[in-house]
Amino acid sequence: MSAKVAVIGAGIMGSAAAYCLARRGADVTLFEQFTAMHDKGSSHGATRLFRTAYFEHPDYVPLLKRAAAGWRDLEKASGEKLFEMCGVLLAGHPSSKTISGTRLAAKEHGLSLHDISLAEAAKRFFWFNFDPDMEMLIEPEAGFIYADRARTVLLNGAKAQGATLRENFPVTQWSAGDARLEVAAGGEALHFDRLIITPGAFAGGLDEMGRRMVQPLRKTLFWTSPGDDRLPLANGFLPFGIEETDGRFRYGFPAVDSDGVKIGEHTGGATVASAHDDAPEAAEESRRDMEAYVKRRLPGLSAAITKQQSCLYAMSPDGHFIIDRHPDDDRTIFAMGFSGHGFKFAPVIGEALADLALNGETLREFDFLKLARFDQA
């Protein structure tokens, strides 16, 4: 008899887990408190950056290589274009984490980087205004994911393999019985052999560990320069990330639709008590700041913001992911605290969660993301 597995949260990680589990023959139920493709969490939107020479920590690189292969496999299975490996332009002062960390990850894992001189940058990327003492480089094994398209492919693939999706069906509680796990949802008490929790920024609503380990952070994304035919990828506008001397990191994407160029700030954001809370004053401040930033750093674009959208980061205490068995019950697996940089990893994390649920273990490359690291701090 196949294992009966519940997955709580149909964002990108829950969708990836459900897809991988269903492909392995598990009896999967995927619970989502909103509609499947809602815009209230961390997984919505047109695009997400993909980088392999990971300045956040070199230990992510093996996982990113597997994730890249996973996206390619999903493209083949679905017939959809999901991943543009077009390169990413990175800039910062030599000692910045963006530059020094990228170089370290590339050196440790034998990845290539292409240095760009100020003169070449001025010619190829004329819409930027770089400082004379900045370093610019292109990481070729990088690009972006078509985010909404990817989540749709995973959800549809999971359902095609037999998974059940229960939308608008919030889980209010889970508990570990001697024989089976109980999930309270929609006024029902449902029982499963295994449970995977992928709650995003809503982790605090499920149990004490989620409240302790995940802090919701409200972010605002912006779009500018719609209709400017210089700004699509086909005309040389690469996705980019720039770290300033104050440590603030902004990033952007070429125009992939009529909305124009998407720009955001990975640093900053408004801490909120609950993922259900808005932060309108912080959003307006972010808008004014972004308009000033575009005017100064990207003068080849219009500084006028034509669209903005809210999203959430689910911040862990150290900014790294937390993927492990639950300390209260080893039949329960959780993946949380993706801290605004997890989306690109979805294929390999989906496989890891399926491994943990069905086999009790996964790749050793995930060990640095276990909960025990906080006991050693």
Side-chain angles (χ1 to χ4, degrees), residues 78-301:
S78 65
E80 294 278 353
K81 180 67 173 176
L82 304 177
F83 183 16
E84 296 280 6
M85 189 177 276
C86 54
V88 170
L89 173 66
L90 297 171
H93 294 271
S95 62
S96 66
K97 187 172 183 180
T98 296
I99 298 300
S100 64
T102 298
R103 293 195 187 282
L104 174 63
K107 181 179 179 181
E108 287 195 11
H109 294 278
L111 302 172
S112 62
L113 300 173
H114 298 162
D115 286 281
I116 304 295
S117 69
L118 192 63
E120 184 181 356
K123 183 177 179 180
R124 288 184 59 184
F125 309 114
F126 58 87
W127 38 83
F128 289 105
N129 176 29
F130 291 120
D131 297 340
D133 55 348
M134 276 183 162
E135 290 187 1
M136 287 74 67
L137 56 86
I138 292 176
E139 183 196 345
E141 293 184 52
F144 62 92
I145 305 297
Y146 292 102
D148 279 344
R149 198 183 301 173
R151 186 161 51 133
T152 298
V153 162
L154 287 166
L155 282 169
N156 289 344
K159 290 186 287 184
Q161 295 286 337
T164 299
L165 171 63
R166 305 197 72 168
E167 300 177 76
N168 298 303
F169 212 83
V171 172
T172 55
Q173 188 178 354
W174 70 274
S175 58
D178 290 338
R180 306 189 83 185
L181 296 155
E182 182 172 291
V183 173
E188 302 179 42
L190 306 168
H191 295 90
F192 298 90
D193 303 312
R194 298 288 186 272
L195 172 61
I196 294 175
I197 302 174
T198 55
F202 297 89
L206 280 177
D207 63 15
E208 175 57 33
M209 191 190 71
R211 286 187 287 276
R212 182 165 50 91
M213 286 294 164
V214 174
Q215 171 62 62
L217 194 67
R218 180 68 64 180
K219 309 285 289 188
T220 309
L221 301 169
F222 304 96
W223 282 258
T224 185
S225 304
D228 189 328
D229 61 10
R230 302 171 304 162
L231 305 178
L233 176 64
N235 290 341
F237 193 103
L238 292 183
F240 66 88
I242 303 173
E243 182 176 340
E244 303 293 333
T245 54
D246 61 3
R248 298 174 74 177
F249 182 87
R250 278 99 167 183
Y251 61 93
F253 298 84
V256 298
D257 53 31
S258 60
D259 288 335
V261 173
K262 172 183 167 184
I263 306 173
E265 182 182 346
H266 181 61
T267 44
T271 300
V272 290
S274 164
H276 297 280
D277 295 342
D278 290 323
E281 292 181 2
E284 282 306 304
E285 182 179 348
S286 294
R287 181 186 182 114
R288 292 190 296 270
D289 178 80
M290 188 59 75
E291 287 179 331
Y293 178 78
V294 171
K295 187 175 182 180
R296 176 174 63 87
R297 185 63 77 194
L298 292 102
L301 276 62

